[in-house]
């Protein structure tokens, strides 16, 4: 048989499957399928994450591509084996509830996965920029929650996308986390899990079903990604250069206390250099109306550089106007220089180390919550466990997600 003949034979077989539905039955396929007990249709779902792109701190949003895979049973499609389905066939749909701008939807697949019972499968991929409210008080030692939220008011759309809508009262179907093992795992990552500037620590799914006073019932599917900022960039580009400038500024103590002009010139040169550095790195610092952790370190550095000029003037006029001996003035200058320099380093240590501890403790608390959860698929998983601070402290066992290829869907 030639390829053209085989193609014609397949077309005939597909047409024969289509002939099983009358025009009225094809129209009726736009309605939700009936259930055996007359109850609410249950739609199983699982999720895939293809990509988490740039997490923008200043705009407080992130780019994400996520897929929703739905499974449900339609007895009207039992015994249907053709790859070509009726275009009027009903299917569930979700919408993004916290996107910024438009959402690109790709209706990837709509097939009969189990012809014996009429088991259907639909894949919809969403790509958009998600709004992400951030608490930046501990920046850059902060941890945030990226929470894409999909909603449905029993939304539906035909296979051919010609018609769709929602239900103004009640529900026509309810979403349930995937229950059949042969239909995959509830959550899959199709990327490496690496996000620039961030550590993808864990995720926690959540479902909320609430009845609105207007009469409709809204279902929210939220996938919370717990991410921790990698502070090394800010320490290397901001804190370390400021510490170097402060160290260089303290070299004024090697100049004679009588050389006020030279000492002031050295101190205020470092002061202006610090301001120039802050101007360069200003685009990487969030615009907020309160002091973050890194802001406190910056202000301490600027104040200390200013203090070097004040202290130089004080010891100079102490000798000139108050007749202090040169030996006493130099001792005061030396003690003041050592005290301010050591105190500055200790302040940085006492700011940075506790801030990093708080960040890790927050991640450990999330790990404990996930490990002790009994919500099954909605418990979440830890992707990058944090080591305990001490060997005696135990965190519950965690599960590491498997990264699979796209062909495994």
């Amino acid at each position: 048989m030639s390829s053209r003949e085989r193609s014609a034979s397949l077309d005939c077989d597909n047409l024969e499957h289509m002939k099983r539905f009358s025009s009225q039955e094809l129209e009726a396929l736009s309605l939700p399928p009936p259930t055996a007990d007359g109850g609410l249709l249950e739609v199983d779902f699982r999720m895939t994450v293809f990509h988490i792109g740039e997490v923008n701190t200043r705009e407080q949003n992130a780019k994400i591509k996520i897929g929703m895979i739905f499974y449900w049973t339609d007895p009207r499609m039992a015994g249907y084996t053709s790859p070509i389905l009726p275009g009027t066939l009903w299917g569930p749909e979700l919408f993004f509830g916290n996107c910024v701008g438009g959402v690109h939807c790709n209706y990837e697949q709509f097939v009969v996965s189990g012809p014996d019972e009429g088991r259907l499968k639909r894949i919809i991929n969403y790509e958009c920029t998600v709004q992400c409210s951030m608490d930046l008080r501990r920046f850059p030692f902060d941890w945030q929650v990226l929470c894409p939220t999909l909603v449905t008011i029993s939304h539906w759309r035909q296979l051919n996308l010609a018609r769709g809508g929602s239900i103004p009262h009640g529900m026509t179907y309810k979403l349930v986390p995937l229950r059949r093992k042969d239909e995959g795992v509830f959550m899959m990552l199709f990327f490496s899990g690496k996000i620039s500037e961030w550590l993808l620590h864990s995720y926690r799914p959540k479902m909320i079903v609430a009845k609105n006073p207007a009469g409709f019932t809204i279902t929210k599917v939220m996938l919370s990604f717990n991410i921790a900022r990698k502070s090394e960039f800010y320490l290397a580009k901001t804190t370390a250069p400021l510490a170097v400038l402060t160290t260089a500024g303290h070299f004024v103590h090697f100049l004679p206390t009588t050389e006020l002009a030279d000492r002031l010139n050295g101190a205020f040169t470092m002061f202006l250099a610090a301001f120039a550095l802050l101007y360069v790195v200003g685009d990487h610092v969030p615009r907020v109306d309160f002091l973050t952790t890194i802001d406190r370190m910056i202000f301490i550095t600027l104040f200390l550089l200013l203090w070097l000029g004040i202290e130089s003037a004080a010891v100079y006029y102490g000798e000139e106007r108050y007749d202090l001996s040169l030996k006493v003035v130099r001792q005061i200058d030396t003690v003041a220089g050592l005290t301010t320099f050591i105190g500055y380093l200790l302040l940085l240590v006492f700011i940075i180390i506790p801030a990093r501890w708080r960040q890790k403790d927050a991640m450990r608390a999330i790990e404990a919550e996930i490990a002790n959860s009994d919500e099954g698929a909605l418990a979440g998983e830890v992707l990058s466990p944090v080591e305990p601070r001490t060997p005696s402290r135990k965190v519950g066992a965690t599960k590491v997600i498997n990264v699979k290829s796209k062909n495994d869907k």
Side-chain angles (χ1 to χ4, degrees):
M1 183 182 294
S2 66
S3 60
R4 180 175 298 179
E5 289 173 339
R6 286 196 299 269
S7 177
S9 176
L10 289 173
D11 290 342
C12 291
D13 292 340
N14 293 331
L15 289 174
E16 289 299 324
H17 278 88
M18 296 294 292
K19 290 179 180 178
R20 64 182 284 183
F21 299 108
S22 65
S23 58
Q24 291 83 2
E25 290 173 332
L26 286 174
E27 186 69 20
L29 289 177
S30 300
L31 299 174
T35 58
D37 57 358
L40 201 60
L41 174 67
E42 293 185 345
V43 177
D44 292 59
F45 74 96
R46 59 183 177 91
M47 312 175 77
T48 58
V49 178
F50 297 98
H51 176 67
I52 298 179
E54 177 188 3
V55 180
N56 192 319
T57 300
R58 301 190 74 174
E59 300 297 332
Q60 298 196 14
N61 57 39
K63 296 178 180 179
I64 189 169
K65 183 177 181 182
I66 190 171
M68 297 292 297
I69 300 91
F70 305 97
Y71 297 89
W72 70 99
T73 302
D74 190 340
R76 300 170 297 186
M77 300 300 294
Y80 197 96
T81 58
S82 171
I84 300 178
L85 303 182
T88 58
L89 190 59
W90 178 94
E93 185 179 37
L94 271 68
F95 288 89
F96 251 98
N98 61 337
C99 67
V100 179
V103 180
H104 175 70
C105 296
N106 176 25
Y107 295 84
E108 180 181 345
Q109 190 181 83
F110 200 136
V111 297
V112 179
S113 60
D116 293 339
E117 58 177 335
R119 190 71 170 173
L120 297 178
K121 174 185 177 182
R122 185 176 208 176
I123 301 177
I124 306 177
N125 300 322
Y126 305 87
E127 186 172 4
C128 69
T129 300
V130 177
Q131 189 175 5
C132 175
S133 298
M134 296 185 177
D135 182 0
L136 298 172
R137 290 172 297 176
R138 298 182 177 89
F139 175 89
F141 307 98
D142 54 327
W143 57 95
Q144 307 294 343
V145 178
L146 173 61
C147 187
T149 302
L150 294 107
V151 300
T152 180
I153 309 173
S154 294
H155 280 91
W156 61 278
R157 193 166 297 277
Q158 291 177 331
L159 168 60
N160 58 14
L161 309 182
R163 288 189 292 179
S166 60
I167 304 301
H169 300 284
M171 300 173 66
T172 57
Y173 65 90
K174 68 176 181 178
L175 295 173
V176 293
L178 190 69
R179 294 169 291 184
R180 300 188 183 186
K181 294 183 178 180
D182 60 344
E183 291 179 340
V185 295
F186 177 73
M187 176 70 180
M188 296 176 65
L189 286 182
F190 285 158
F191 77 114
S192 64
K194 295 182 179 179
I195 308 174
S196 177
E197 191 184 334
W198 297 88
L199 171 69
L200 180 56
H201 174 260
S202 57
Y203 76 88
R204 296 198 70 179
K206 186 178 181 180
M207 280 186 59
I208 297 178
V209 181
K211 187 173 182 180
N212 191 277
F216 60 84
T217 301
I218 183 171
T219 301
K220 294 183 179 181
V221 178
M222 296 177 289
L223 185 57
S224 299
F225 292 98
N226 299 296
I227 55 178
R229 192 186 304 272
K230 298 177 182 178
S231 58
E232 289 77 8
F233 170 83
Y234 298 94
L235 294 178
K237 300 296 184 180
T238 304
T239 306
L242 289 176
V244 171
L245 290 176
T246 303
T247 303
H250 276 78
F251 287 143
V252 301
H253 293 286
F254 290 98
L255 296 174
T257 56
T258 56
E259 302 293 336
L260 178 60
D262 291 339
R263 287 170 66 103
L264 290 178
N265 183 55
F268 286 110
T269 298
M270 295 300 104
F271 186 82
L272 293 176
F275 260 106
L277 173 65
L278 296 179
Y279 179 79
V280 173
V281 301
D283 289 339
H284 301 286
V285 179
R287 297 175 179 175
V288 291
D289 57 356
F290 52 84
L291 294 180
T292 64
T293 300
I294 199 168
D295 289 333
R296 289 193 289 270
M297 291 189 288
I298 291 172
F299 275 101
I300 290 172
T301 301
L302 293 177
F303 176 78
L304 187 58
L305 291 173
L306 181 62
W307 166 254
L308 291 177
I310 297 174
E311 189 268 340
S312 297
V315 294
Y316 174 80
Y317 285 108
E319 181 182 358
E320 288 289 326
R321 294 188 178 182
Y322 298 100
D323 297 327
L324 295 177
S325 66
L326 183 61
K327 181 178 180 181
V328 172
V329 168
R330 289 180 177 177
Q331 288 178 344
I332 293 174
D333 185 57
T334 302
V335 171
L338 289 174
T339 302
T340 54
F341 182 67
I342 295 173
Y344 172 72
L345 295 180
L346 289 176
L347 276 175
L348 291 186
V349 170
F350 290 148
I351 290 175
I352 293 173
I353 293 181
R356 299 193 70 150
W357 280 349
R358 284 192 295 268
Q359 187 185 51
K360 291 185 178 181
D361 284 344
M363 297 296 102
R364 293 188 188 100
I366 294 172
E367 291 179 14
E369 290 178 6
I370 293 176
N372 297 327
S373 176
D374 58 355
E375 298 182 22
L378 297 180
E381 290 185 273
V382 176
L383 310 179
S384 302
V386 177
E387 292 296 328
R389 184 183 296 182
T390 58
S392 60
R393 179 173 178 177
K394 295 183 179 180
V395 177
T398 59
K399 300 178 288 182
V400 178
I401 199 167
N402 294 322
V403 178
K404 300 187 178 182
S405 66
K406 189 173 181 180
N407 297 328
D408 293 336
K409 286 198 297 181

